[in-house]
Amino acid sequence: MTKRLTLLPGIALIGMLFLIPVGIVFQQGLFDPVFTTEHFVRFATRGAYMRIFWSTLQISTVVALVCLLVGYPIAYFIVRQPPARRPFLMFLVLVPMWMSILARTYSWMVVLGKEGIINQSLIWLGLIDEPIKMLFTTGAVYVAMVQIMLPILIVTCFSSMTEIDQSLLRAARIMGASPRKAFREVFLPLSAEGAITGTLIVFILSMGFFIVPALLGGRRDAMLANVISGQVSQTNWGFAAAISIVLLGATLLVLVLVRGASAKLVHHQEEAH
Amino acid sequence: MQGSRVHFEKVTKSFGETVALTDFNLDIAPGEFVTLLGASGSGKSTALNILAGFSDATSGEVYTGDRPLTGVAPEHRNVGMVFQNFALFPHKTVAENVAFPLRMRKGARDEIDRRVKAALEMVQLGAFAARKPAALSGGQRQRVALARAVVFEPPVLLMDECLSALDLKLREELQDEIRRIHREIGTTVLFVTHDQTEALTMSDRIAILEGGKIVQIDAPEVLYDRPRTRFVADFIGQSNMFDLSAVTDGTAAVPDMGIDIPVSDPTAVAISIRPERLRVIPGENTSGLSVFQGVVEDETFFGPVVAQTVRLRSGRRLEVRSQRSGHDRLPHTGQTITLAFDPADAAPLVAT
Ligand SMILES: Nc1ncnc2c1ncn2[C@@H]1O[C@H](COP(=O)(O)OP(=O)(O)O)[C@@H](O)[C@H]1O
Ligand SMILES: [Mg+2]
């Protein structure tokens, strides 16, 4: 019983900082002042909102998958290095995370802009005559989001990979597996759990992204968080709350679906208990 | 199945400054059970890893049968291996683990099933096929690792300190089991341990490693009765070692005992006498024995055996083990006693 009591401060903290705000959001979205689905109907029937909803899902999915495709091999490369060299490589991966997302987003403006580093270099090299439009495009949003999220995925993958016992790979080899087979049969399944977790984290964070699309994207690259912010600044609390609920629901749904699917694909060690 | 000959020829291995193996020569007959015995860091794992193909020798060559192995990837060496930490795949069931080497060799499905079943039966784990390794005890995991290593009938089987993680009773059980399986399948076994008892009970021959070099390789009883160096005499069992004066005409003085004894090896610099080969004599016939005196300083009672520490006149101490037979009383602490040994029981030791 005393064990339970020591949990109380934690529960109180979660209640105050998480449950109450979420409760207020739900209350705002569903009552105006009596129960209504008006905000949700508005969201679902206006083409523009639904388009932004789908594009938010699409951007988040693509960013998460690109991070996985780029980050997993990087993490694998680092794990394969001699242990003495790994901390330095991980340090390099983590350095960008010390900068605020805002600062990094502004840096991308400097890099991608009309007078930015890339355009200047290409013109100087004589490869192009006119600057290419890179800033305020969907591409810019993707590039910056992937750059910002990549360390998160690498760290998650790396930590799950370092837990894989190297003698398992040796065992696979001595039993007749080529390096590629050993990777497929042993390393991949054992690192999949971490990779999926990392990908989901990137997806969840991407779903709520706000600064990058606002500063680097074009007018049609707004994401749901930008719409919410717009509605809040117009004091449309109810509608803003409703969009937040949709965002939360969609994120949770994807989370549950992916976890369910991966539990079937990946064998869990714990299964046997 | 037939085991194949394993042959290390002048193998050396260095890691930068560290020399892990020097002039390592070992010739193992087909079907033989040979143990590498040595302290931690003596190069046992290095030798196994070179044979398995996990690391390359700095120089020298390793053969299985007549086939030189340099440049052959581990997966093409057809060698079975049991790892120290078992190295079972945690995401695969027991049956899938054991099937792994067969699958890599692209066997037919029902043939694989049949052999997995037979291998699991051999280690008495038929009922555990569907479990994950996490749901097994240490001994069961060890058995799975063993089944997995032999299921594809490799002509060579390597085991690296694979029993050291288990408690004594289990270890003895598995020692018997490994011996039995070795007899059944007839594969050549290269076994690694730092436990001398394990080496003595299991092996056809034992190679003692010191600092990356084999200092003696012999059958267990030869190793025990006739150690060649101080290191071996000390490493295997208990031993009393005495310096010798120079051997002349087959005789040398043992200054600590104050006697001369016959010594067969003219290069010997010391002798080793096992504690149980020393006899406490009240005055029986001592012809042909070497006799000297000392004072009992301490004794430890083991039931049928009593171990006594005896101080010689020179101040040297030695260990005597006596069987307590019948009603004869053993001399007590403080008493001066006469000790005797058959010079044939004194193993001549050479300098390293
Ligand atoms: N990968 C390595 N890098 C550097 N030194 C090593 C490496 N592997 C083994 N050694 C060194 O080689 C020697 C022999 O090691 P090892 O064969 O593992 O000994 P054992 O298995 O008998 O305990 C030790 O001094 C060890 O420190
Ligand atoms: Mg070792």
Side-chain angles (χ1 to χ4, degrees), chain A residues 63 249 255:
Chain A
V63 167
L255 202 73

Side-chain angles (χ1 to χ4, degrees), chain B residues 25-339:
Chain B
N25 293 288
L26 180 58
D27 199 346
I28 308 175
E32 199 180 9
F33 192 121
V34 169
T35 297
L36 296 181
L37 176 62
S40 169
S42 56
K44 307 182 296 290
S45 298
T46 305
L48 276 203
N49 288 339
I50 289 172
L51 178 51
F54 299 142
S55 78
D56 296 325
T58 308
S59 68
E61 181 61 279
V62 184
Y63 304 85
T64 54
D66 297 323
R67 179 185 182 212
L69 292 179
T70 300
V72 180
E75 62 267 31
H76 297 131
R77 293 193 175 197
N78 208 24
V79 164
M81 184 158 182
V82 183
F83 290 77
Q84 178 161 15
N85 61 356
F86 314 138
L88 296 178
F89 302 132
H91 57 298
K92 294 180 187 290
T93 64
V94 166
E96 286 167 346
N97 264 282
V98 177
F100 190 86
L102 300 174
R103 274 209 303 121
M104 294 300 114
R105 284 166 175 74
K106 309 213 187 316
R109 187 62 201 259
D110 45 351
E111 171 69 4
I112 291 180
D113 288 346
R114 193 185 59 72
R115 287 172 73 173
V116 168
K117 205 157 168 258
L120 285 178
E121 227 106 86
M122 178 181 69
V123 294
Q124 291 132 43
L125 281 180
F128 295 81
R131 290 218 196 162
K132 290 279 174 66
L136 299 178
S137 72
Q140 291 167 336
R141 281 180 212 178
Q142 180 58 71
R143 288 194 165 92
V144 177
L146 194 59
R148 191 178 68 166
V150 299
V151 70
F152 60 105
E153 305 190 341
V156 178
L157 177 61
L158 311 179
M159 300 191 221
D160 192 353
E161 310 212 14
C162 59
L163 300 179
S164 58
L166 307 173
D167 60 51
L168 184 65
K169 190 168 172 306
L170 209 53
R171 204 154 65 210
E172 283 168 354
E173 241 175 77
L174 277 156
Q175 285 167 5
D176 291 345
E177 194 144 338
I178 290 171
R179 289 290 293 168
R180 176 176 62 79
I181 290 170
H182 172 242
R183 275 197 307 274
E184 270 171 33
I185 65 179
T187 183
T188 305
V189 176
L190 185 52
F191 187 88
V192 160
T193 183
H194 61 255
D195 179 342
Q196 50 145 323
T197 315
E198 196 165 284
L200 288 172
T201 55
M202 297 184 74
S203 324
D204 293 330
R205 281 193 300 159
I206 302 172
I208 309 272
L209 253 78
E210 184 194 9
K213 213 171 174 148
I214 295 181
V215 291
Q216 187 171 353
I217 172 162
D218 270 310
E221 63 273 20
V222 177
L223 215 49
Y224 186 81
D225 291 339
R226 279 283 180 265
R228 294 273 303 145
T229 64
R230 286 174 183 278
F231 180 82
V232 177
D234 206 31
F235 202 84
I236 301 273
Q238 248 188 329
S239 176
N240 299 298
M241 283 179 269
F242 294 94
D243 287 333
L244 288 180
S245 66
V247 182
T248 44
D249 298 336
T251 314
V254 188
D256 281 317
M257 298 176 180
I259 54 171
D260 287 353
I261 60 163
V263 176
S264 54
D265 186 342
T267 60
V269 296
I271 51 165
S272 151
I273 309 169
R274 300 294 181 189
E276 71 276 11
R277 294 298 166 91
L278 286 165
R279 277 176 254 162
V280 180
I281 48 170
E284 71 189 57
N285 181 13
T286 60
S287 67
L289 297 180
S290 301
V291 180
F292 59 105
Q293 287 189 321
V295 179
V296 178
E297 227 181 40
D298 192 15
E299 60 182 11
T300 315
F301 183 69
F302 289 109
V305 171
V306 172
Q308 291 174 313
T309 306
V310 177
R311 185 163 42 79
L312 304 183
R313 207 162 302 149
S314 70
R316 255 298 302 271
R317 289 178 175 76
L318 58 73
E319 199 74 16
V320 185
R321 267 170 193 260
S322 313
Q323 294 281 342
R324 288 172 65 246
S325 54
H327 299 287
D328 55 340
R329 294 172 56 97
L330 286 162
H332 286 299
T333 304
Q335 230 173 305
T336 299
I337 56 167
T338 303
L339 289 168

Side-chain angles (χ1 to χ4, degrees), chain A residues 1-40:
Chain A
M1 200 57 215
T2 46
K3 236 184 193 168
R4 298 265 166 83
L5 280 179
T6 54
L7 282 175
L8 272 181
I11 291 170
L13 207 66
I14 290 174
M16 265 162 33
L17 298 179
F18 180 73
L19 289 179
I20 294 176
V22 169
I24 292 173
V25 167
F26 271 82
Q27 186 255 325
Q28 291 270 352
L30 289 166
F31 296 88
D32 191 19
V34 291
F35 179 80
T36 171
T37 55
E38 171 206 351
H39 298 310
F40 292 93

Side-chain angles (χ1 to χ4, degrees), chain A residues 165 167-179 181-182 184-187 189-190 266-273, chain B residues 49 52 54 73-75 79-81 83 85 87-92 97 100-101 103-106 131-132 134-135 148 152:
Chain A
D165 180 356
S167 65
L168 294 180
L169 294 171
R170 288 183 160 193
R173 293 292 302 281
I174 200 72
M175 286 187 282
S178 62
K181 264 265 154 112
R184 246 189 54 80
E185 290 275 344
V186 179
F187 195 89
L190 291 177
V266 183
H267 300 275
H268 288 263
Q269 204 177 328
E270 298 85 342
E271 247 172 46
H273 289 294
Chain B
N49 288 339
F54 299 142
E75 62 267 31
V79 164
M81 184 158 182
F83 290 77
N85 61 356
L88 296 178
F89 302 132
H91 57 298
K92 294 180 187 290
N97 264 282
F100 190 86
R103 274 209 303 121
M104 294 300 114
R105 284 166 175 74
K106 309 213 187 316
R131 290 218 196 162
K132 290 279 174 66
R148 191 178 68 166
F152 60 105

